[in-house]
Amino acid sequence: DAKTTQPPSMDCAEGRAANLPCNHSTISGNEYVYWYRQIHSQGPQYIIHGLKNNETNEMASLIITEDRKSSTLILPHATLRDTAVYYCIVREETSGSRLTFGEGTQLTVNP
Amino acid sequence: KAGVTQTPRYLIKTRGQQVTLSCSPISGHRSVSWYQQTPGQGLQFLFEYFSETQRNKGNFPGRFSGRQFSNSRSEMNVSTLELGDSALYLCASSLGGGSYRGYTFGSGTRLTVV
């Protein structure tokens, strides 16, 4: 699985959009970008994933650059409950179960 | 529907003892994976079971083992506990099969070895 790079921490004001970047410059053509988050002392929670098109669901939007070397997770209206560590993971859809978590980004949403 | 259930939530054991942790996946999910999370190493993959067979294994010593039952419930066992085994152990379930579509994690078992 390709390696990802994320900033260690970010801050966001409550009600504003949170934009979390992820660099995956070595991504291969059949690897997807997945985002998970982990709220303190809970298990990771799946957020969204995509291959090359932008994706949106009820939780977030995922913007993948045209060259697929980077992506941005967007939480449109961050709340205090969005404070968590966000993990960007790149993997093939059929590469089995293993998820390789990096250090992620600690997002703190401030009132 | 019920989520992934891990028991117990907290556990304190003494060095040298062994421990068994349990995970009940979401109904209909056939794949169960286990992860260890420590402050120093982060989240690390232990192993995955699918239809009662281990089909993927991480880089952990043989003291860490697991199994899966016919109802997809899974247990992991750690023998001869060491202080460094203190961690949050997380279980994740998915439908399995040939295509990955996202895991649902449980809340974990917090193991403290003293």
Side-chain angles (χ1 to χ4, degrees):
Chain A
D1 296 338
K3 182 177 171 55
T4 62
T5 303
Q6 299 177 252
S9 64
M10 293 184 65
D11 286 290
C12 176
E14 189 176 20
R16 305 298 293 270
N19 297 286
L20 292 95
C22 179
N23 183 285
H24 32 79
S25 58
T26 60
I27 192 170
S28 63
N30 56 351
E31 288 183 314
Y32 285 70
V33 179
Y34 290 84
W35 284 84
Y36 279 78
R37 72 179 182 184
Q38 187 175 24
I39 296 170
H40 184 62
S41 295
Q42 296 182 22
Q45 176 190 24
Y46 166 81
I47 302 173
I48 197 168
H49 76 282
L51 182 62
K52 52 185 176 182
N53 297 321
N54 297 338
E55 302 286 346
T56 295
N57 63 21
E58 65 279 3
M59 290 183 67
S61 295
L62 173 61
I63 308 298
I64 302 173
T65 58
E66 192 168 341
D67 63 7
R68 305 210 321 123
K69 293 183 184 302
S70 66
S71 61
T72 301
L73 177 74
I74 301 172
L75 308 178
H77 305 287
T79 71
L80 299 179
R81 287 179 293 182
D82 291 323
T83 292
V85 178
Y86 287 77
Y87 297 98
C88 169
I89 298 167
V90 174
R91 69 190 300 282
E92 292 184 23
E93 190 174 68
T94 58
S95 67
S97 59
R98 182 189 306 239
L99 289 175
T100 302
F101 288 88
E103 299 192 3
T105 296
Q106 170 66 59
L107 174 69
T108 302
V109 181
N110 301 304
Chain B
K1 58 183 175 182
V4 178
T5 303
Q6 291 190 246
T7 57
R9 286 299 308 277
Y10 302 93
L11 206 49
I12 300 175
K13 289 288 188 178
T14 304
R15 266 185 308 175
Q17 287 186 313
Q18 73 165 8
V19 68
T20 299
L21 312 181
S22 178
C23 172
S24 293
I26 290 172
S27 178
H29 283 193
R30 296 165 62 194
S31 167
V32 173
S33 300
W34 290 88
Y35 289 79
Q36 180 198 65
Q37 186 171 29
T38 60
Q41 299 297 318
L43 272 157
Q44 293 186 289
F45 173 79
L46 280 157
F47 30 64
E48 183 217 6
Y49 285 86
F50 177 76
S51 293
E52 302 179 65
T53 302
Q54 186 184 89
R55 71 174 179 181
N56 208 345
K57 188 177 190 304
N59 188 27
F60 279 81
R63 299 186 297 108
F64 292 82
S65 63
R67 59 177 174 169
Q68 187 179 34
F69 302 95
S70 58
N71 62 357
S72 294
R73 189 177 72 84
S74 176
E75 289 180 346
M76 69 162 281
N77 183 277
V78 188
S79 62
T80 320
L81 283 166
E82 302 175 359
L83 296 178
D85 296 331
S86 294
L88 179 66
Y89 289 89
L90 292 157
C91 150
S93 81
S94 73
L95 288 169
S99 179
Y100 167 77
R101 284 292 177 185
Y103 288 105
T104 301
F105 282 81
S107 296
T109 294
R110 173 77 60 185
L111 171 66
T112 301
V113 182
V114 297

